Amino acid sequence: MSVLAGVRAAIIDLDGTMLDTMPDFYVAINGMLAELGLKPVAQEQIALMVGKGSENLIRSVLALDLDGAGVAARFEAAMDAYQRHYLSINGNHSALYPGVIEGLTAMKAQGLRLACVTNKPISFTTPLLKLKGLDGFFEVVYGGDSLPRKKPDPLPLQTVCADFGLKPAQVVAIGDSSNDAQAARAAGCPVLTVPYGYNHGEAIHKTDSDGIVATLLDAAILIRSHN
């Protein structure tokens, strides 16, 4: 029996799964670094650090130029600057990946309930979903600071299952990184991965998932074929 048989809902990641937000990170982080008098970083470096939440991202960026004590001393000022810069450009430089709107539309047409679970702060997430025309698809949206723990912890996925009144086996997680896969495995949810996002510099084929789908539309078609 397929692990996708009986799926009634999907939990979908945001950065690297629905939107290519790397150009937004690049602009905001370099704005922050300029404000702090630190040297700029390349987009390729930032791509390796994205996905574990803003605090982790900012500490990793500062650590490129500062020792542990320097990172600790400047962290709060850096976070403040980063949040200001990010909110001022949020979504301006990011783009939908191919098949996202089509995939979400197909999932809704199948009667799947949809949640967006991201490690991005909720104050960044809500306006971004609205700007890109994605907000209407999701019944539930959790950011990295919405709950006490974020992915790869299973708590956000478990919370969605409870919200929907579904067993984890009925809720598929779809994401671009090991964070999504680890959270799903720990929660007992099936998981599909996309090959085009930001997986901390690792090949997605090394990630333990139930299948790689080229687009969210392919994910919708695959889920439907098992139901």
Side-chain angles (χ1 to χ4, degrees):
M1 187 183 106
S2 162
V3 292
L4 297 175
V7 162
R8 297 286 170 264
I11 298 172
I12 304 173
D13 177 53
L14 181 55
D15 296 304
T17 301
M18 290 193 282
L19 288 173
D20 180 8
T21 47
M22 197 52 60
D24 279 350
F25 285 114
Y26 176 73
V27 172
I29 283 170
N30 282 307
M32 169 200 86
L33 290 170
E35 203 172 299
L36 296 177
L38 297 170
K39 59 179 187 280
V41 296
Q43 199 160 296
E44 295 72 29
Q45 284 175 292
I46 297 167
L48 301 177
M49 302 172 184
V50 165
K52 295 190 186 295
S54 293
E55 297 88 351
N56 182 278
L57 173 62
I58 298 312
R59 288 186 196 282
S60 300
V61 169
L62 292 176
L64 294 172
D65 225 14
L66 303 169
D67 62 12
V71 171
R74 307 191 73 172
F75 176 72
E76 275 187 44
M79 272 303 285
D80 175 67
Y82 171 67
Q83 286 171 327
R84 273 187 287 106
H85 283 281
Y86 202 103
L87 282 169
S88 72
I89 57 93
N90 188 8
N92 291 356
H93 308 278
S94 60
L96 282 158
Y97 286 110
V100 170
I101 298 288
E102 298 87 342
L104 295 174
T105 302
M107 288 181 205
K108 290 292 260 195
Q110 291 171 48
L112 294 180
R113 299 177 73 179
L114 299 181
C116 174
V117 171
T118 172
N119 282 348
K120 200 181 208 64
I122 196 71
S123 62
F124 295 0
T125 300
T126 311
L128 183 58
L129 288 171
K130 192 170 174 58
L131 180 70
K132 299 300 182 183
L134 297 173
D135 53 329
F137 289 104
F138 299 102
E139 282 180 60
V140 175
V141 177
Y142 289 123
D145 51 359
S146 298
L147 298 163
R149 299 185 297 281
K150 57 172 78 87
K151 299 181 290 184
D153 192 278
L155 178 67
L157 277 61
Q158 292 165 334
T159 304
V160 171
C161 294
D163 292 339
F164 285 169
L166 294 171
K167 299 186 181 106
Q170 297 175 293
V171 184
V172 63
I174 305 173
D176 66 311
S177 82
S178 56
N179 269 354
D180 302 295
Q182 285 166 22
R185 285 283 180 253
C189 297
V191 58
L192 298 172
T193 45
V194 294
Y196 49 72
Y198 329 126
N199 187 29
H200 324 294
E202 289 283 308
I204 198 64
H205 302 82
K206 293 182 184 171
T207 297
D208 173 30
S209 82
D210 296 308
I212 297 173
V213 284
T215 66
L216 289 191
L217 181 57
D218 289 321
I221 293 165
L222 183 63
I223 294 162
R224 190 175 64 213
S225 75
H226 290 286
N227 289 281

